[in-house]
Amino acid sequence: MTAPTEKQNIHDYLAEFDDIPGTRVFTAARARKGYWLNQFAMSLMTPENREAWKADERKYLENWPMSDEQREAILARDYNRCLDLGGNVYFLAKVFSTDGLSFAEAVSSMTDMTFPEYREMMNKGGRSPQGNRSIKGGY
Amino acid sequence: MARITAGVASSHVPLLGVAVDQGKTGDEYFGPIFAGYEWTKAWEKEEKPDVVILVYNDHASAFDMKIIPTFAIGCGERYKSADEGWGPRPVPDVEGHADLGWHIAQSLILDEFDMTIINEMDVDHGMTVPLSMMFGQPEKWPVKVVPLAVNVVTYPVPSGNRCWALGEAIARAVESFPEDLNVQIWGTGGMSHQLQGPRAGLLNREWDNKFLDMLIGDSDAARFIPHLEYLRETGSEGIEMVMWLVMRGALGKKTKCLHRHYHIPCSNTAIGHLVLEPTE
């Protein structure tokens, strides 16, 4: 617990996030890197844009000043790669919703499980926090 | 005089909206989740609140990356259901309470909370799912809503302490509104869930229940939980629980629990629900 008067230094605050296993916290650095990737995804909120995207994905991406890596990651639906390149799941959700995928199915694609395996894990109480809290601490 | 009579906390998983819209709330999967809201639905019918201050987060619907307000308050007359990628939910428009919204906005700014004002926006599952959970499928929502949007997506998000203090300031603002209104404040989102990366699917029943315990009674320990603890213990999206602290802060020193419900899982998420009453 941090007392209310103790203000945390931004560098220390951000550094702590790297210790969480299998997690990309959506920091300002990631938000900057992924700006156009996320704005592209956002554009899929209208039916007209969804149609244009479905008709020719690669052509649709030409309208957005994204990096080649970001374009390839989206075309491959490699969501972990998208996260590394600054994508945020609530924005990427516009892409997988357009694909007709549920949140659970899209999310499962970022784990080492198949969707049925992932669904079974969730129905049995989800992934345990045990051993998943800290890389350095191993707890 | 307007007064805050109760606080409600609830998860706002989009799949719950799908269950309502597709008539699946009684099936094997969703039945136990919705059963835990029956008490609240009946209670809301008795309570007949005039206005709900609904603390929620936008999920890349009204706000994209162009503008990221930390705390924003809706002062509009009406909000439509957002198209989140699969068409808007078939729910009534959300009617605002512009007079109360503007009164709270002005009071908060004088009270040193520098709010962003929203006049027009669409509202996503963060707002419409809690309304469906508490009111079912009416032709028209039985309350007016003052939306209070919190950034819990781009870091740093506001601290738990700041969220609690905002709740305290909202309570002061409501008390100085001259019209006689029965106002509830709802905190939404959570509980434990992680929607991204190899650790996706993390749930933490023990921590979630400890958090529920902390909101009942006279403890204010929850306001000092650091972001890192939410992230480690409850998954990257568990941070939404700071929004429950705005609700708790608005209820004053002590609360009484009227109803409590917890269920695992709904899709990727642990469902938590509380109905609290201020006791002094």
PDB file of all heavy atoms in Angstrom, chain A residues 5-36:
ATOM      1  N   THR A   5       0.139  10.497   0.335  1.00  0.00           N
ATOM      2  CA  THR A   5       1.002  11.645   0.083  1.00  0.00           C
ATOM      3  C   THR A   5       2.261  11.276  -0.705  1.00  0.00           C
ATOM      4  O   THR A   5       2.944  12.135  -1.232  1.00  0.00           O
ATOM      5  CB  THR A   5       1.429  12.293   1.414  1.00  0.00           C
ATOM      6  OG1 THR A   5       1.861  11.251   2.282  1.00  0.00           O
ATOM      7  CG2 THR A   5       0.286  13.044   2.056  1.00  0.00           C
ATOM      8  N   GLU A   6       2.575   9.976  -0.777  1.00  0.00           N
ATOM      9  CA  GLU A   6       3.777   9.563  -1.510  1.00  0.00           C
ATOM     10  C   GLU A   6       3.517   9.588  -3.002  1.00  0.00           C
ATOM     11  O   GLU A   6       2.768   8.778  -3.520  1.00  0.00           O
ATOM     12  CB  GLU A   6       4.161   8.125  -1.123  1.00  0.00           C
ATOM     13  CG  GLU A   6       4.838   7.998   0.206  1.00  0.00           C
ATOM     14  CD  GLU A   6       5.059   6.538   0.578  1.00  0.00           C
ATOM     15  OE1 GLU A   6       5.312   5.724  -0.337  1.00  0.00           O
ATOM     16  OE2 GLU A   6       4.934   6.224   1.765  1.00  0.00           O
ATOM     17  N   LYS A   7       4.167  10.508  -3.700  1.00  0.00           N
ATOM     18  CA  LYS A   7       3.982  10.583  -5.152  1.00  0.00           C
ATOM     19  C   LYS A   7       5.054   9.735  -5.814  1.00  0.00           C
ATOM     20  O   LYS A   7       6.226   9.829  -5.480  1.00  0.00           O
ATOM     21  CB  LYS A   7       4.101  12.033  -5.634  1.00  0.00           C
ATOM     22  CG  LYS A   7       3.155  12.991  -4.932  1.00  0.00           C
ATOM     23  CD  LYS A   7       1.729  12.858  -5.417  1.00  0.00           C
ATOM     24  CE  LYS A   7       0.822  13.863  -4.737  1.00  0.00           C
ATOM     25  NZ  LYS A   7      -0.401  13.312  -4.197  1.00  0.00           N
ATOM     26  N   GLN A   8       4.639   8.926  -6.764  1.00  0.00           N
ATOM     27  CA  GLN A   8       5.585   8.026  -7.408  1.00  0.00           C
ATOM     28  C   GLN A   8       6.206   8.686  -8.630  1.00  0.00           C
ATOM     29  O   GLN A   8       5.530   9.360  -9.397  1.00  0.00           O
ATOM     30  CB  GLN A   8       4.852   6.741  -7.801  1.00  0.00           C
ATOM     31  CG  GLN A   8       5.786   5.575  -8.024  1.00  0.00           C
ATOM     32  CD  GLN A   8       5.035   4.289  -8.294  1.00  0.00           C
ATOM     33  OE1 GLN A   8       3.839   4.273  -8.513  1.00  0.00           O
ATOM     34  NE2 GLN A   8       5.758   3.189  -8.292  1.00  0.00           N
ATOM     35  N   ASN A   9       7.490   8.454  -8.799  1.00  0.00           N
ATOM     36  CA  ASN A   9       8.214   8.921  -9.969  1.00  0.00           C
ATOM     37  C   ASN A   9       7.744   8.143 -11.198  1.00  0.00           C
ATOM     38  O   ASN A   9       7.597   6.926 -11.154  1.00  0.00           O
ATOM     39  CB  ASN A   9       9.703   8.659  -9.659  1.00  0.00           C
ATOM     40  CG  ASN A   9      10.601   8.905 -10.827  1.00  0.00           C
ATOM     41  OD1 ASN A   9      10.486   8.258 -11.866  1.00  0.00           O
ATOM     42  ND2 ASN A   9      11.502   9.846 -10.648  1.00  0.00           N
ATOM     43  N   ILE A  10       7.506   8.839 -12.310  1.00  0.00           N
ATOM     44  CA  ILE A  10       6.925   8.197 -13.503  1.00  0.00           C
ATOM     45  C   ILE A  10       7.831   7.086 -14.055  1.00  0.00           C
ATOM     46  O   ILE A  10       7.344   6.066 -14.544  1.00  0.00           O
ATOM     47  CB  ILE A  10       6.577   9.243 -14.612  1.00  0.00           C
ATOM     48  CG1 ILE A  10       5.844   8.594 -15.800  1.00  0.00           C
ATOM     49  CG2 ILE A  10       7.807   9.998 -15.084  1.00  0.00           C
ATOM     50  CD1 ILE A  10       4.486   8.044 -15.508  1.00  0.00           C
ATOM     51  N   HIS A  11       9.140   7.260 -13.928  1.00  0.00           N
ATOM     52  CA  HIS A  11      10.054   6.227 -14.460  1.00  0.00           C
ATOM     53  C   HIS A  11       9.933   4.927 -13.663  1.00  0.00           C
ATOM     54  O   HIS A  11       9.882   3.840 -14.235  1.00  0.00           O
ATOM     55  CB  HIS A  11      11.501   6.739 -14.443  1.00  0.00           C
ATOM     56  CG  HIS A  11      11.665   8.040 -15.159  1.00  0.00           C
ATOM     57  ND1 HIS A  11      11.477   8.154 -16.516  1.00  0.00           N
ATOM     58  CD2 HIS A  11      11.949   9.288 -14.698  1.00  0.00           C
ATOM     59  CE1 HIS A  11      11.654   9.428 -16.866  1.00  0.00           C
ATOM     60  NE2 HIS A  11      11.939  10.124 -15.778  1.00  0.00           N
ATOM     61  N   ASP A  12       9.863   5.066 -12.331  1.00  0.00           N
ATOM     62  CA  ASP A  12       9.712   3.880 -11.477  1.00  0.00           C
ATOM     63  C   ASP A  12       8.362   3.224 -11.732  1.00  0.00           C
ATOM     64  O   ASP A  12       8.240   2.002 -11.800  1.00  0.00           O
ATOM     65  CB  ASP A  12       9.801   4.263  -9.990  1.00  0.00           C
ATOM     66  CG  ASP A  12      11.146   4.861  -9.633  1.00  0.00           C
ATOM     67  OD1 ASP A  12      12.099   4.640 -10.417  1.00  0.00           O
ATOM     68  OD2 ASP A  12      11.249   5.560  -8.604  1.00  0.00           O
ATOM     69  N   TYR A  13       7.339   4.078 -11.854  1.00  0.00           N
ATOM     70  CA  TYR A  13       5.971   3.590 -12.092  1.00  0.00           C
ATOM     71  C   TYR A  13       5.921   2.735 -13.355  1.00  0.00           C
ATOM     72  O   TYR A  13       5.387   1.625 -13.361  1.00  0.00           O
ATOM     73  CB  TYR A  13       5.055   4.812 -12.215  1.00  0.00           C
ATOM     74  CG  TYR A  13       3.628   4.553 -12.645  1.00  0.00           C
ATOM     75  CD1 TYR A  13       2.660   4.206 -11.707  1.00  0.00           C
ATOM     76  CD2 TYR A  13       3.247   4.689 -13.982  1.00  0.00           C
ATOM     77  CE1 TYR A  13       1.337   3.988 -12.095  1.00  0.00           C
ATOM     78  CE2 TYR A  13       1.931   4.485 -14.371  1.00  0.00           C
ATOM     79  CZ  TYR A  13       0.985   4.134 -13.434  1.00  0.00           C
ATOM     80  OH  TYR A  13      -0.316   3.919 -13.821  1.00  0.00           O
ATOM     81  N   LEU A  14       6.520   3.236 -14.431  1.00  0.00           N
ATOM     82  CA  LEU A  14       6.466   2.519 -15.710  1.00  0.00           C
ATOM     83  C   LEU A  14       7.338   1.263 -15.698  1.00  0.00           C
ATOM     84  O   LEU A  14       6.959   0.234 -16.266  1.00  0.00           O
ATOM     85  CB  LEU A  14       6.905   3.446 -16.850  1.00  0.00           C
ATOM     86  CG  LEU A  14       5.971   4.624 -17.123  1.00  0.00           C
ATOM     87  CD1 LEU A  14       6.616   5.597 -18.116  1.00  0.00           C
ATOM     88  CD2 LEU A  14       4.614   4.168 -17.652  1.00  0.00           C
ATOM     89  N   ALA A  15       8.498   1.350 -15.027  1.00  0.00           N
ATOM     90  CA  ALA A  15       9.442   0.217 -15.029  1.00  0.00           C
ATOM     91  C   ALA A  15       8.817  -1.018 -14.388  1.00  0.00           C
ATOM     92  O   ALA A  15       9.076  -2.147 -14.827  1.00  0.00           O
ATOM     93  CB  ALA A  15      10.720   0.612 -14.301  1.00  0.00           C
ATOM     94  N   GLU A  16       7.967  -0.813 -13.396  1.00  0.00           N
ATOM     95  CA  GLU A  16       7.353  -1.943 -12.689  1.00  0.00           C
ATOM     96  C   GLU A  16       6.485  -2.800 -13.609  1.00  0.00           C
ATOM     97  O   GLU A  16       6.317  -3.995 -13.373  1.00  0.00           O
ATOM     98  CB  GLU A  16       6.468  -1.427 -11.543  1.00  0.00           C
ATOM     99  CG  GLU A  16       7.243  -0.825 -10.389  1.00  0.00           C
ATOM    100  CD  GLU A  16       6.336  -0.192  -9.339  1.00  0.00           C
ATOM    101  OE1 GLU A  16       5.182   0.183  -9.660  1.00  0.00           O
ATOM    102  OE2 GLU A  16       6.779  -0.070  -8.190  1.00  0.00           O
ATOM    103  N   PHE A  17       5.928  -2.170 -14.645  1.00  0.00           N
ATOM    104  CA  PHE A  17       5.004  -2.896 -15.520  1.00  0.00           C
ATOM    105  C   PHE A  17       5.687  -4.020 -16.303  1.00  0.00           C
ATOM    106  O   PHE A  17       5.051  -4.980 -16.719  1.00  0.00           O
ATOM    107  CB  PHE A  17       4.313  -1.950 -16.514  1.00  0.00           C
ATOM    108  CG  PHE A  17       3.418  -0.932 -15.867  1.00  0.00           C
ATOM    109  CD1 PHE A  17       3.075   0.223 -16.536  1.00  0.00           C
ATOM    110  CD2 PHE A  17       2.917  -1.130 -14.586  1.00  0.00           C
ATOM    111  CE1 PHE A  17       2.238   1.168 -15.950  1.00  0.00           C
ATOM    112  CE2 PHE A  17       2.085  -0.190 -13.991  1.00  0.00           C
ATOM    113  CZ  PHE A  17       1.743   0.967 -14.682  1.00  0.00           C
ATOM    114  N   ASP A  18       7.011  -3.853 -16.528  1.00  0.00           N
ATOM    115  CA  ASP A  18       7.731  -4.865 -17.305  1.00  0.00           C
ATOM    116  C   ASP A  18       7.893  -6.169 -16.541  1.00  0.00           C
ATOM    117  O   ASP A  18       8.303  -7.175 -17.103  1.00  0.00           O
ATOM    118  CB  ASP A  18       9.120  -4.323 -17.703  1.00  0.00           C
ATOM    119  CG  ASP A  18       9.002  -3.148 -18.646  1.00  0.00           C
ATOM    120  OD1 ASP A  18       7.992  -3.084 -19.367  1.00  0.00           O
ATOM    121  OD2 ASP A  18       9.907  -2.295 -18.654  1.00  0.00           O
ATOM    122  N   ASP A  19       7.586  -6.147 -15.253  1.00  0.00           N
ATOM    123  CA  ASP A  19       7.755  -7.347 -14.427  1.00  0.00           C
ATOM    124  C   ASP A  19       6.522  -8.253 -14.452  1.00  0.00           C
ATOM    125  O   ASP A  19       6.503  -9.305 -13.819  1.00  0.00           O
ATOM    126  CB  ASP A  19       8.078  -6.920 -12.988  1.00  0.00           C
ATOM    127  CG  ASP A  19       8.335  -8.120 -12.089  1.00  0.00           C
ATOM    128  OD1 ASP A  19       9.127  -8.993 -12.505  1.00  0.00           O
ATOM    129  OD2 ASP A  19       7.726  -8.206 -11.005  1.00  0.00           O
ATOM    130  N   ILE A  20       5.480  -7.842 -15.169  1.00  0.00           N
ATOM    131  CA  ILE A  20       4.259  -8.662 -15.180  1.00  0.00           C
ATOM    132  C   ILE A  20       4.320  -9.633 -16.354  1.00  0.00           C
ATOM    133  O   ILE A  20       4.447  -9.221 -17.503  1.00  0.00           O
ATOM    134  CB  ILE A  20       3.006  -7.764 -15.267  1.00  0.00           C
ATOM    135  CG1 ILE A  20       3.016  -6.761 -14.104  1.00  0.00           C
ATOM    136  CG2 ILE A  20       1.741  -8.616 -15.219  1.00  0.00           C
ATOM    137  CD1 ILE A  20       2.019  -5.644 -14.258  1.00  0.00           C
ATOM    138  N   PRO A  21       4.226 -10.927 -16.082  1.00  0.00           N
ATOM    139  CA  PRO A  21       4.365 -11.907 -17.171  1.00  0.00           C
ATOM    140  C   PRO A  21       3.242 -11.792 -18.211  1.00  0.00           C
ATOM    141  O   PRO A  21       2.091 -11.531 -17.865  1.00  0.00           O
ATOM    142  CB  PRO A  21       4.240 -13.265 -16.450  1.00  0.00           C
ATOM    143  CG  PRO A  21       4.340 -12.987 -14.992  1.00  0.00           C
ATOM    144  CD  PRO A  21       3.952 -11.563 -14.782  1.00  0.00           C
ATOM    145  N   GLY A  22       3.601 -11.989 -19.477  1.00  0.00           N
ATOM    146  CA  GLY A  22       2.616 -12.125 -20.551  1.00  0.00           C
ATOM    147  C   GLY A  22       1.637 -10.983 -20.693  1.00  0.00           C
ATOM    148  O   GLY A  22       0.487 -11.194 -21.061  1.00  0.00           O
ATOM    149  N   THR A  23       2.098  -9.771 -20.415  1.00  0.00           N
ATOM    150  CA  THR A  23       1.194  -8.614 -20.371  1.00  0.00           C
ATOM    151  C   THR A  23       1.889  -7.399 -20.975  1.00  0.00           C
ATOM    152  O   THR A  23       3.047  -7.133 -20.650  1.00  0.00           O
ATOM    153  CB  THR A  23       0.818  -8.296 -18.901  1.00  0.00           C
ATOM    154  OG1 THR A  23       0.270  -9.470 -18.313  1.00  0.00           O
ATOM    155  CG2 THR A  23      -0.174  -7.147 -18.799  1.00  0.00           C
ATOM    156  N   ARG A  24       1.195  -6.693 -21.876  1.00  0.00           N
ATOM    157  CA  ARG A  24       1.735  -5.422 -22.391  1.00  0.00           C
ATOM    158  C   ARG A  24       0.822  -4.313 -21.889  1.00  0.00           C
ATOM    159  O   ARG A  24      -0.266  -4.111 -22.444  1.00  0.00           O
ATOM    160  CB  ARG A  24       1.743  -5.384 -23.909  1.00  0.00           C
ATOM    161  CG  ARG A  24       2.864  -6.137 -24.582  1.00  0.00           C
ATOM    162  CD  ARG A  24       2.536  -7.589 -24.705  1.00  0.00           C
ATOM    163  NE  ARG A  24       3.251  -8.234 -25.811  1.00  0.00           N
ATOM    164  CZ  ARG A  24       3.094  -9.512 -26.106  1.00  0.00           C
ATOM    165  NH1 ARG A  24       2.283 -10.276 -25.387  1.00  0.00           N
ATOM    166  NH2 ARG A  24       3.758 -10.025 -27.129  1.00  0.00           N
ATOM    167  N   VAL A  25       1.261  -3.619 -20.862  1.00  0.00           N
ATOM    168  CA  VAL A  25       0.457  -2.515 -20.335  1.00  0.00           C
ATOM    169  C   VAL A  25       0.462  -1.384 -21.372  1.00  0.00           C
ATOM    170  O   VAL A  25       1.502  -1.081 -21.962  1.00  0.00           O
ATOM    171  CB  VAL A  25       1.008  -2.033 -18.972  1.00  0.00           C
ATOM    172  CG1 VAL A  25       0.182  -0.871 -18.441  1.00  0.00           C
ATOM    173  CG2 VAL A  25       1.020  -3.198 -17.972  1.00  0.00           C
ATOM    174  N   PHE A  26      -0.699  -0.795 -21.605  1.00  0.00           N
ATOM    175  CA  PHE A  26      -0.840   0.214 -22.666  1.00  0.00           C
ATOM    176  C   PHE A  26      -0.345   1.576 -22.178  1.00  0.00           C
ATOM    177  O   PHE A  26      -1.100   2.453 -21.788  1.00  0.00           O
ATOM    178  CB  PHE A  26      -2.297   0.280 -23.126  1.00  0.00           C
ATOM    179  CG  PHE A  26      -2.474   1.021 -24.421  1.00  0.00           C
ATOM    180  CD1 PHE A  26      -1.840   0.603 -25.588  1.00  0.00           C
ATOM    181  CD2 PHE A  26      -3.298   2.132 -24.483  1.00  0.00           C
ATOM    182  CE1 PHE A  26      -2.018   1.282 -26.789  1.00  0.00           C
ATOM    183  CE2 PHE A  26      -3.479   2.825 -25.677  1.00  0.00           C
ATOM    184  CZ  PHE A  26      -2.843   2.397 -26.826  1.00  0.00           C
ATOM    185  N   THR A  27       0.964   1.684 -22.204  1.00  0.00           N
ATOM    186  CA  THR A  27       1.630   2.906 -21.752  1.00  0.00           C
ATOM    187  C   THR A  27       1.609   3.968 -22.857  1.00  0.00           C
ATOM    188  O   THR A  27       1.303   3.664 -24.020  1.00  0.00           O
ATOM    189  CB  THR A  27       3.100   2.595 -21.431  1.00  0.00           C
ATOM    190  OG1 THR A  27       3.682   2.010 -22.611  1.00  0.00           O
ATOM    191  CG2 THR A  27       3.218   1.626 -20.267  1.00  0.00           C
ATOM    192  N   ALA A  28       2.009   5.174 -22.487  1.00  0.00           N
ATOM    193  CA  ALA A  28       2.086   6.259 -23.476  1.00  0.00           C
ATOM    194  C   ALA A  28       3.009   5.868 -24.627  1.00  0.00           C
ATOM    195  O   ALA A  28       2.722   6.164 -25.795  1.00  0.00           O
ATOM    196  CB  ALA A  28       2.565   7.533 -22.797  1.00  0.00           C
ATOM    197  N   ALA A  29       4.121   5.194 -24.314  1.00  0.00           N
ATOM    198  CA  ALA A  29       5.070   4.799 -25.374  1.00  0.00           C
ATOM    199  C   ALA A  29       4.371   3.880 -26.375  1.00  0.00           C
ATOM    200  O   ALA A  29       4.517   4.039 -27.591  1.00  0.00           O
ATOM    201  CB  ALA A  29       6.281   4.106 -24.762  1.00  0.00           C
ATOM    202  N   ARG A  30       3.594   2.907 -25.858  1.00  0.00           N
ATOM    203  CA  ARG A  30       2.869   2.006 -26.772  1.00  0.00           C
ATOM    204  C   ARG A  30       1.781   2.771 -27.522  1.00  0.00           C
ATOM    205  O   ARG A  30       1.538   2.529 -28.704  1.00  0.00           O
ATOM    206  CB  ARG A  30       2.269   0.834 -26.000  1.00  0.00           C
ATOM    207  CG  ARG A  30       3.306  -0.158 -25.527  1.00  0.00           C
ATOM    208  CD  ARG A  30       2.749  -1.552 -25.283  1.00  0.00           C
ATOM    209  NE  ARG A  30       3.837  -2.472 -24.999  1.00  0.00           N
ATOM    210  CZ  ARG A  30       4.303  -2.717 -23.768  1.00  0.00           C
ATOM    211  NH1 ARG A  30       3.772  -2.141 -22.710  1.00  0.00           N
ATOM    212  NH2 ARG A  30       5.319  -3.544 -23.591  1.00  0.00           N
ATOM    213  N   ALA A  31       1.122   3.688 -26.833  1.00  0.00           N
ATOM    214  CA  ALA A  31       0.046   4.464 -27.467  1.00  0.00           C
ATOM    215  C   ALA A  31       0.592   5.301 -28.628  1.00  0.00           C
ATOM    216  O   ALA A  31      -0.058   5.448 -29.663  1.00  0.00           O
ATOM    217  CB  ALA A  31      -0.643   5.344 -26.436  1.00  0.00           C
ATOM    218  N   ARG A  32       1.792   5.823 -28.450  1.00  0.00           N
ATOM    219  CA  ARG A  32       2.399   6.628 -29.527  1.00  0.00           C
ATOM    220  C   ARG A  32       2.769   5.762 -30.716  1.00  0.00           C
ATOM    221  O   ARG A  32       2.482   6.081 -31.861  1.00  0.00           O
ATOM    222  CB  ARG A  32       3.654   7.340 -29.005  1.00  0.00           C
ATOM    223  CG  ARG A  32       3.320   8.462 -28.058  1.00  0.00           C
ATOM    224  CD  ARG A  32       4.558   9.090 -27.491  1.00  0.00           C
ATOM    225  NE  ARG A  32       5.348   9.795 -28.512  1.00  0.00           N
ATOM    226  CZ  ARG A  32       6.489  10.416 -28.239  1.00  0.00           C
ATOM    227  NH1 ARG A  32       6.974  10.423 -27.011  1.00  0.00           N
ATOM    228  NH2 ARG A  32       7.129  11.037 -29.200  1.00  0.00           N
ATOM    229  N   LYS A  33       3.410   4.630 -30.404  1.00  0.00           N
ATOM    230  CA  LYS A  33       3.840   3.700 -31.456  1.00  0.00           C
ATOM    231  C   LYS A  33       2.634   3.171 -32.254  1.00  0.00           C
ATOM    232  O   LYS A  33       2.705   3.013 -33.472  1.00  0.00           O
ATOM    233  CB  LYS A  33       4.569   2.544 -30.783  1.00  0.00           C
ATOM    234  CG  LYS A  33       5.324   1.635 -31.701  1.00  0.00           C
ATOM    235  CD  LYS A  33       6.152   0.668 -30.839  1.00  0.00           C
ATOM    236  CE  LYS A  33       6.907  -0.327 -31.692  1.00  0.00           C
ATOM    237  NZ  LYS A  33       7.671  -1.261 -30.835  1.00  0.00           N
ATOM    238  N   GLY A  34       1.551   2.921 -31.545  1.00  0.00           N
ATOM    239  CA  GLY A  34       0.412   2.274 -32.187  1.00  0.00           C
ATOM    240  C   GLY A  34      -0.672   3.223 -32.655  1.00  0.00           C
ATOM    241  O   GLY A  34      -1.759   2.785 -33.026  1.00  0.00           O
ATOM    242  N   TYR A  35      -0.367   4.516 -32.643  1.00  0.00           N
ATOM    243  CA  TYR A  35      -1.427   5.509 -32.903  1.00  0.00           C
ATOM    244  C   TYR A  35      -2.246   5.180 -34.156  1.00  0.00           C
ATOM    245  O   TYR A  35      -3.464   5.050 -34.106  1.00  0.00           O
ATOM    246  CB  TYR A  35      -0.825   6.914 -33.014  1.00  0.00           C
ATOM    247  CG  TYR A  35      -1.887   7.981 -33.140  1.00  0.00           C
ATOM    248  CD1 TYR A  35      -2.518   8.480 -32.007  1.00  0.00           C
ATOM    249  CD2 TYR A  35      -2.291   8.457 -34.388  1.00  0.00           C
ATOM    250  CE1 TYR A  35      -3.524   9.429 -32.116  1.00  0.00           C
ATOM    251  CE2 TYR A  35      -3.292   9.409 -34.504  1.00  0.00           C
ATOM    252  CZ  TYR A  35      -3.896   9.893 -33.367  1.00  0.00           C
ATOM    253  OH  TYR A  35      -4.898  10.828 -33.470  1.00  0.00           O
ATOM    254  N   TRP A  36      -1.576   5.010 -35.297  1.00  0.00           N
ATOM    255  CA  TRP A  36      -2.330   4.813 -36.540  1.00  0.00           C
ATOM    256  C   TRP A  36      -2.911   3.405 -36.654  1.00  0.00           C
ATOM    257  O   TRP A  36      -3.960   3.210 -37.270  1.00  0.00           O
ATOM    258  CB  TRP A  36      -1.472   5.165 -37.764  1.00  0.00           C
ATOM    259  CG  TRP A  36      -1.250   6.637 -37.858  1.00  0.00           C
ATOM    260  CD1 TRP A  36      -0.072   7.312 -37.687  1.00  0.00           C
ATOM    261  CD2 TRP A  36      -2.267   7.635 -38.078  1.00  0.00           C
ATOM    262  NE1 TRP A  36      -0.290   8.667 -37.799  1.00  0.00           N
ATOM    263  CE2 TRP A  36      -1.616   8.898 -38.039  1.00  0.00           C
ATOM    264  CE3 TRP A  36      -3.636   7.610 -38.307  1.00  0.00           C
ATOM    265  CZ2 TRP A  36      -2.293  10.103 -38.220  1.00  0.00           C
ATOM    266  CZ3 TRP A  36      -4.327   8.806 -38.489  1.00  0.00           C
ATOM    267  CH2 TRP A  36      -3.654  10.036 -38.439  1.00  0.00           C
TER     268      TRP A  36
END
